[in-house]
Amino acid sequence: MSSAAKRILMPVGGRFRPAEKMIPWLKLCAGIVVILTVMFGIGPLLLHLPWYKEMGRFIEAEGIRSTAIYYTDLQTFSNAEFALRQNLEYGPKARLNGP
């Protein structure tokens, strides 16, 4: 094969290395391994820490739903939401006579 034919077959960046195609897949696999290690390795170990057990007991004793993102069924949060919506919609009341 002539040198001109070899130049045509070679990619633009230089030598063709098939291992370069595997690098993104290796990074993906490494990320998945890290996530699984934290979830199933480090996470369960944290359950044995004394301060974590105490926090769990407190949450259960007080009936706190620690996984809830927004407490819509509690009266306190309902009042706070109403006040916030009113303040955003109508703005604070202006004081006419000063403080």
Side-chain angles (χ1 to χ4, degrees):
M1 194 185 280
S2 69
S3 63
K6 286 182 183 177
R7 273 189 258 136
I8 293 173
L9 295 177
M10 287 177 46
V12 175
R15 289 188 0 209
F16 177 70
R17 291 180 272 184
E20 288 180 357
K21 289 185 176 183
M22 293 299 294
I23 290 175
W25 290 104
L26 291 174
K27 287 180 180 180
L28 177 66
C29 290
I32 291 172
V33 166
V34 168
I35 290 171
L36 292 176
T37 301
V38 169
M39 283 175 53
F40 298 111
I42 297 172
L45 291 176
L46 292 177
L47 295 175
H48 299 293
L49 295 174
W51 59 269
Y52 192 82
K53 286 182 181 180
E54 184 61 33
M55 182 176 60
R57 278 190 222 113
F58 175 77
I59 288 173
E60 287 180 16
E62 295 296 322
I64 298 172
R65 293 180 305 162
S66 58
T67 57
I69 295 174
Y70 190 64
Y71 291 89
T72 56
D73 58 341
L74 298 178
Q75 185 65 31
T76 305
F77 288 99
S78 176
N79 292 341
E81 179 188 11
F82 176 75
L84 178 63
R85 287 186 186 276
Q86 293 296 313
N87 200 10
L88 290 175
E89 187 172 339
Y90 299 110
K93 294 181 180 177
R95 296 182 182 178
L96 300 176
N97 298 332

